[in-house]
Amino acid sequence: MNGAESLLRTLADAGVEVCFSNPGTTELHLVGALDKVPRMRAVLGLFEGVATGAADGYARIAGKPAATLLHLGPGLGHGLSNLHNARRANTPIVNIVGDHPTYHKPYDPPLESDIETVARSLRGPVRRPANVAAVRQDAVSALAEALEPPGQIATLIMPADVSWSDGVAADGDGNRPATPIRPVPPVAPRLIEQVAGVLCSGEPSALVIGGPLGREAGLCAASRIAAGTGTRVLLETYSSRLEHGAGLPSFPRLGFYPDQVLRQLDGVRHVIVAGTSVPVAFFAYPDKPSRLVPDGAQTHVLAEVGQDAVAALTALADLVAPDREPVVTAAGRPAMPSGPLTVDTWPAVIGALLPERAIVVDETISSGIGLSAATAGAPRHDVLAMCGGAMGEGLPLAVGAAVAAPDRPVIALEADGCAIYTLSALWTQARENLDITNVILNNRSYAILREEWQHLGAGASDPHTNRLLDLTGPDIDFVGLARAFGVPGSRASTAEELAEQFARAVAEPGPHLIEAVIPPVA
């Protein structure tokens, strides 16, 4: 057995089931090895950013890592944007990057680059097996490192000569090491008691939750605390996986802009943070603070990112609200709107028709202001957001989510500017026959940058006339592009059209695309 097969068999033995790939010459022995390891499903993306974003979406839903397969340093570079998003979501990924044979690198061939330096920007471990005998241990170590709480991206650089070299017994030599799994570190009971004292002091407090607290147990604990103490509860701005809908507590997200967050926290004396970071501004603005805790308020970190935030918040709820039940959202859907699509009406259509057990990928940016409220009473669903701010992950996230949960409908709600980055993900959706309904919110502009223009005071000219913020001339034909990639497409400009097309797309198997034409917010 060569090094390539040893790597993939070791990962498959440890439970890695999918490899999202865009390979090149230096990875061809790994491609061949995938044929010999049927337990490892190979999913091809036409662009590395599709493969890396899909690995992120898969792991968030499956609860375990996927592998990627990328081509040298430039391939890693192409995939870096969505690896950045995955890092910010604390997603475990085993990132495999092929490299030139060891003896070939000193000649500086055209695709030679410093892969290690690029990979280290992801702040995860980087390994390079020195020979075929080292592959198994490095593979196990990379997987264990990816799974270290809260999850990280472990990069394994495979020189081509290590991939093609033989030297491992095909039936296993009995020395395959076990994958060490580090338990999630607990929060000290004394700290939980201290925070309980703060909440019972009577001083106004806010609780900011994120990470694993976006699931049912965390949401219910937060709701009990709010009911028992009057504490304001806020979700982090972008959640890696949020359970939402009827029968669950629902909380507002932290705003995007500093003024929004400071209004949400106005008057509080204590800001308690659990499972996420202390609120900071997404961007810097003149004369605005970066750290968004009000002056005079104390910050208390109940659970650091990577600690057992769910157990800590549940214990806190038991201390401060032992007899309280969580307040949950009643089942109910918005009335079906009519007339031209707007930022107010299109979310109502989705809320009125959202199917049971859906996975909603939300990369709507400025167009999705009303989405959370419109779907709060819809059947329970999961929401995946782009956590790192690098545009273009929505369609790849949908690919990964659909591979992880083929029995659940996936709804990708995508801004037009974001969709263009990774539109080739539609081809993978068609090839794998994934049950994804893609709704492209087309306002023919970078509307979010027009909003930012106003906040930054970027210039005296009108952002509505700036050609760098405009996506017309020519207009982008998303329906035609979808059909070119093998996905049925349609266009809606009224609520009635969107409702009819969305209901049909959800009912039919396989991928669909709906271009929803809306006016920009700003």
Side-chain angles (χ1 to χ4, degrees):
M1 186 166 61
N2 63 24
E5 187 175 347
S6 175
L7 169 63
L8 295 176
R9 285 194 184 278
T10 300
L11 292 176
D13 287 344
V16 179
E17 298 178 346
V18 183
C19 179
F20 296 98
S21 176
N22 185 273
T25 302
T26 46
E27 294 77 46
L28 286 180
H29 285 82
L30 288 157
V31 172
L34 282 166
D35 287 337
K36 297 181 179 180
V37 186
R39 291 170 294 149
M40 180 83 74
R41 177 179 176 181
V43 177
L44 178 62
L46 301 181
F47 173 64
E48 290 90 341
V50 173
T52 54
D56 185 8
Y58 174 91
R60 293 197 210 179
I61 293 298
K64 59 184 176 181
T68 67
L69 181 57
L70 310 177
H71 181 45
L72 293 158
L76 175 59
H78 283 158
L80 197 64
S81 175
N82 285 333
L83 288 172
H84 162 81
N85 286 327
R87 178 180 72 82
R88 285 291 185 172
N90 299 308
T91 301
I93 293 175
V94 178
N95 191 42
I96 303 168
V97 183
D99 196 9
H100 292 296
T102 307
Y103 62 84
H104 192 55
K105 289 175 69 65
Y107 297 101
D108 193 27
L111 278 170
E112 172 63 14
S113 64
D114 187 352
I115 300 173
E116 279 90 347
T117 295
V118 177
R120 287 193 184 101
S121 71
L122 298 168
R123 303 182 189 176
V126 180
R127 293 180 174 272
R128 177 189 288 270
N131 51 54
V132 67
V135 168
R136 279 182 177 166
Q137 182 59 63
D138 278 353
V140 168
S141 297
L143 178 58
E145 289 160 345
L147 288 167
E148 283 193 12
Q152 60 182 339
I153 299 163
T155 299
L156 193 65
I157 302 170
M158 281 291 286
D161 52 336
V162 174
S163 287
W164 71 48
S165 294
D166 293 325
V168 180
D171 58 352
D173 57 12
N175 294 321
R176 183 178 292 114
T179 305
I181 304 298
R182 188 165 71 88
V184 181
V187 173
R190 184 176 61 182
L191 177 57
I192 299 171
E193 292 168 0
Q194 289 173 352
V195 173
V198 170
L199 292 177
C200 293
S201 69
E203 295 187 323
S205 300
L207 172 62
V208 179
I209 63 172
L213 296 175
R215 309 290 292 276
E216 181 175 11
L219 296 172
C220 288
S223 181
R224 291 173 58 206
I225 291 168
T229 66
T231 301
R232 302 178 204 174
V233 179
L234 296 161
L235 294 167
E236 61 188 345
T237 306
Y238 296 114
S239 300
S240 60
R241 181 176 177 179
L242 174 67
E243 292 185 349
H244 189 53
L248 291 168
S250 182
F251 303 110
R253 297 189 310 180
L254 283 173
F256 184 84
Y257 294 109
D259 288 344
Q260 294 172 331
V261 177
L262 292 174
R263 281 196 299 270
Q264 290 173 310
L265 298 177
D266 184 46
V268 303
R269 298 293 304 277
H270 302 277
V271 176
I272 296 138
V273 179
T276 186
S277 302
V278 175
V280 298
F282 211 86
F283 295 108
Y285 301 91
D287 303 318
K288 303 292 183 183
S290 293
R291 190 173 185 271
L292 301 180
V293 174
D295 291 341
Q298 291 183 276
T299 301
H300 311 267
V301 178
L302 172 67
E304 300 276 2
V305 174
Q307 288 187 299
D308 193 343
V310 175
L313 201 68
T314 302
L316 181 62
D318 291 341
L319 287 175
V320 302
D323 301 321
R324 295 295 185 127
E325 294 294 324
V327 178
V328 301
T329 305
R333 294 178 181 268
M336 184 65 72
S338 61
L341 285 176
T342 67
V343 293
D344 297 315
T345 59
W346 81 259
V349 174
I350 303 302
L353 298 174
L354 192 69
E356 301 275 351
R357 302 182 63 246
I359 299 169
V360 176
V361 177
D362 178 8
E363 196 178 26
T364 54
I365 313 298
S366 63
S367 300
I369 298 170
L371 182 63
S372 180
T375 54
R380 185 181 298 200
H381 53 280
D382 285 290
V383 181
L384 309 185
M386 168 196 60
C387 294
M391 292 167 59
E393 195 182 24
L395 299 181
L397 277 177
V399 168
V403 170
D407 60 330
R408 298 179 64 182
V410 177
I411 314 297
L413 305 174
E414 183 80 350
D416 55 342
C418 296
I420 287 298
Y421 282 83
T422 49
L423 199 67
S424 66
L426 294 175
W427 182 87
T428 302
Q429 294 182 14
R431 187 185 215 215
E432 300 292 325
N433 195 33
L434 302 175
D435 189 14
I436 301 172
T437 299
N438 305 277
V439 180
I440 309 298
L441 287 310
N442 188 1
N443 57 26
R444 297 188 172 93
S445 69
Y446 288 130
I448 186 64
L449 293 184
R450 290 176 177 171
E451 288 186 26
E452 292 283 1
W453 186 291
Q454 306 294 342
H455 283 268
L456 282 165
S461 61
D462 184 353
H464 294 82
T465 61
N466 191 299
R467 285 178 54 82
L468 291 182
L469 309 184
D470 176 69
L471 297 181
T472 62
D475 290 344
I476 299 168
D477 181 5
F478 285 98
V479 175
L481 289 168
R483 293 170 179 166
F485 284 118
V487 174
S490 59
R491 182 176 292 109
S493 59
T494 68
E496 292 88 347
E497 290 171 345
L498 178 58
E500 186 274 328
Q501 293 170 23
F502 185 80
R504 184 176 67 245
V506 168
E508 295 176 353
H512 296 76
L513 180 140
I514 303 167
E515 180 183 349
V517 181
I518 60 172
V521 174

